[in-house]
Amino acid sequence: MRSRHILSAASALTMGVALVLSSAPAAVAAPAKPAPSMLEALQRDLNLSAEQAQLRLVNEARLGKLEGKVRTDLGAAFGGSWLSGDTANSLTVATSDASKVGVIQAGGAKAQVVTRSLGDLTALKDRLDAATAPQTVPVYYVDVKSNSVVVETRDQAAAEAFVAAAGVDKAAVTFVASSEQPVPYYDLRGGDAYYINNSGRCSIGFSVTRGSTPGFVTAGHCGTTGSSTQGYNRVAQGTFQGSSFPGNDYAWVAVNSNWVPTPTVAGTSATVSGSTAQVVGGSICRSGSTTGWHCGTVQQIGTSVTYPQGTVSGVTRTNVCAEPGDSGGSWISGTQAQGVTSGGSGNCSVGGTTYFQPVNEILSVYGLTLTTTGTPPGGGTCSGYAATTTGSVSSGGNAYGAQFTANAGTHRLCLDGPNGVDFDLYLQRLSGSTWTNVASGTSSGPDETVTYNGTAGTYRYRVHGYSGSGSFTLAYTRP
């Protein structure tokens, strides 16, 4: 039997908010080349030169990796993070523990000591989510820059009553006067439109597969489970397999053999290589069948927005404009898929605020695999999982994923390594301050699969290079 060695978490380089793995030490890889149309939209909407737009994407990739490592190092003391500067050349990380300032600054980020951790703020917003928001409170969210929960409202008294009813300390809330009246975007036209029951129209978000079944993700308000779809050419296309709205705003459609999933974003040359989530302050672009490409920045993550039909939670707030007809369309940063258009306010003549449903949640809920460019390094043995990520590990080294909170249920993991190496896969659970292996795949080859039925808790993934070095793909479905 081979000897197994577990390195401490401190020896690993954790990259990104979503699961991105790398051995330590490792050089920062250059981001994949973005589509020319995206660079043009970044220049136009963020008022950047071509050089500034390219530099911004490089900085976002570099600082995004740093943010992931610092987030893990801070643990419960993490208070949020944000990018700033025209080229996103500055990362600020907040902490509720003043003794952690040195940890933040050691990586080259700016430190800001705050009263409340991100966990504290999220718990407060969860209380608001458990209450019923009045129609005069269109949006509320955790704002890491102000270290508070922001409640936007057209009626101050009603907003204060909402906060009080939820049992949230008013001192932790910032009330902002707002004239927003967000609505979901229905009745799409042109581009990659599709029709629902030969009537309403919406836009495709991203191509996906579930096992061997092809399809796409889109907005939940576009159709209900069982609704039929027809493509832009009115040819029979597919059926809604799952849909959630309000509460969430996501759905997926299984298509027939006449339709082939591709990693291309409709109407552009942009292609998708993954789904690593952008951080607050990072640039993001949207493609919609009504208004085409428009770009801006991420303002808040995990926002709750109240539509006439009810509140949708967990969407991302941006300053990108959109209009009716853009609903369900693609959101992308560089080559990383971000989500599908939900709704918003304003328009692309005067500007506006738009919300999108993060794509990783849709993939996880329905057990979907995002269609991306390229093939897994070991030949594509992992399919039918909710999400995938890539990384690399050296012989004898370890690569760790960012820790995550999981519900009770079944974890499914699949590691695909290059031929000629021996990589092992571990699922670890946090017990107190110690990481414990709870499941593993340790065969003498490059590929491993793990299935584990676990309790709710904090977990992470570990890839060990028992013999040989190289890149790998890790696919996973979380409970």
Side-chain angles (χ1 to χ4, degrees):
M1 179 177 294
R2 294 178 296 168
S3 173
R4 307 293 177 185
H5 301 282
I6 303 173
L7 297 187
S8 67
S11 67
L13 176 61
T14 304
M15 299 163 56
V17 176
L19 179 67
V20 181
L21 304 175
S22 175
S23 58
V28 177
K33 187 176 181 181
S37 55
M38 178 179 293
L39 284 173
E40 292 171 2
L42 281 169
Q43 294 171 57
R44 179 193 66 211
D45 294 336
L46 297 183
N47 195 28
L48 302 174
S49 66
E51 293 75 17
Q52 287 176 319
Q54 292 174 339
L55 180 58
R56 183 180 182 102
L57 293 177
V58 171
N59 285 337
E60 288 173 354
R62 174 177 60 86
L63 294 176
K65 292 177 172 64
L66 171 61
E67 193 270 355
K69 181 180 185 304
V70 175
R71 175 192 288 256
T72 300
D73 291 342
L74 293 182
F78 179 71
S81 60
W82 58 92
L83 297 169
S84 56
D86 289 342
T87 58
N89 61 340
S90 176
L91 173 67
T92 301
V93 178
T95 178
S96 58
D97 184 349
S99 68
K100 301 288 188 179
V101 168
V103 173
I104 297 171
Q105 294 176 335
K110 296 179 180 179
Q112 181 167 311
V113 179
V114 294
T115 303
R116 306 171 190 90
S117 69
L118 182 59
D120 295 333
L121 293 172
T122 301
L124 293 174
K125 183 182 168 294
D126 287 344
R127 292 186 183 180
L128 295 180
D129 286 337
T132 301
Q135 286 293 317
T136 53
V137 175
V139 184
Y140 54 95
Y141 48 83
V142 168
D143 182 47
V144 294
K145 291 184 179 181
S146 66
N147 194 233
S148 68
V149 176
V150 172
V151 175
E152 296 195 4
T153 181
R154 299 189 297 274
D155 184 333
Q156 179 81 13
E160 291 181 358
F162 166 54
V163 170
V168 173
D169 184 1
K170 184 178 176 181
V173 177
T174 300
F175 295 96
V176 176
S178 173
S179 59
E180 274 200 63
Q181 298 186 50
V183 295
Y185 291 130
Y186 292 95
D187 196 24
L188 298 176
R189 302 171 180 265
D192 238 5
Y194 67 94
Y195 296 83
I196 305 94
N197 295 329
N198 283 310
S199 180
R201 289 170 286 181
C202 275
S203 282
I204 293 173
F206 295 99
S207 296
V208 296
T209 55
R210 184 174 183 179
S212 60
T213 302
F216 61 86
V217 293
T218 188
H221 67 257
C222 289
T224 58
T225 302
S227 297
S228 64
T229 69
Q230 300 77 41
Y232 65 89
N233 52 6
R234 293 288 191 174
V235 171
Q237 183 188 66
T239 306
F240 275 79
Q241 302 298 301
S243 178
S244 179
F245 178 80
N248 306 293
D249 196 3
Y250 51 64
W252 90 278
V253 175
V255 299
N256 59 43
S257 59
N258 289 331
W259 300 85
V260 178
T262 73
T264 303
V265 175
T268 76
S269 58
T271 56
V272 176
S273 66
S275 58
T276 300
Q278 182 61 284
V279 301
V280 172
S283 65
I284 194 164
C285 296
R286 174 195 59 73
S287 179
S289 59
T290 297
T291 59
W293 271 104
H294 284 275
C295 297
T297 58
V298 173
Q299 293 182 310
Q300 284 86 27
I301 296 171
T303 298
S304 294
V305 55
T306 303
Y307 297 128
Q309 297 86 346
T311 298
V312 173
S313 298
V315 293
T316 298
R317 188 176 194 242
T318 75
N319 59 3
V320 184
C321 71
E323 296 180 8
D326 290 327
S327 197
S330 312
W331 289 75
I332 188 168
S333 289
T335 62
Q336 300 298 304
Q338 301 296 314
V340 300
T341 300
S342 174
S345 57
N347 56 54
C348 289
S349 296
V350 299
T353 300
T354 307
Y355 306 88
F356 69 82
Q357 174 74 55
V359 70
N360 284 332
E361 182 179 358
I362 312 175
L363 299 176
S364 179
V365 168
Y366 294 123
L368 305 171
T369 299
L370 187 67
T371 301
T372 60
T373 56
T375 57
T381 62
C382 302
S383 63
Y385 291 80
T388 60
T389 188
T390 58
S392 61
V393 66
S394 58
S395 184
N398 291 272
Y400 294 85
Q403 67 184 49
F404 61 92
T405 301
N407 298 320
T410 303
H411 298 253
R412 296 177 57 241
L413 315 176
C414 180
L415 175 67
D416 185 11
N419 294 329
V421 304
D422 181 359
F423 287 175
D424 297 326
L425 175 61
Y426 297 86
L427 176 66
Q428 298 184 319
R429 189 178 190 278
L430 185 62
S431 178
S433 58
T434 302
W435 289 100
T436 302
N437 294 331
V438 294
S440 62
T442 58
S443 68
S444 57
D447 306 326
E448 304 289 352
T449 58
V450 171
T451 300
Y452 174 71
N453 189 17
T455 59
T458 301
Y459 293 84
R460 71 178 181 184
Y461 307 135
R462 170 191 170 219
V463 176
H464 175 59
Y466 181 80
S467 175
S469 303
S471 299
F472 59 82
T473 290
L474 179 64
Y476 57 92
T477 298
R478 299 172 181 171

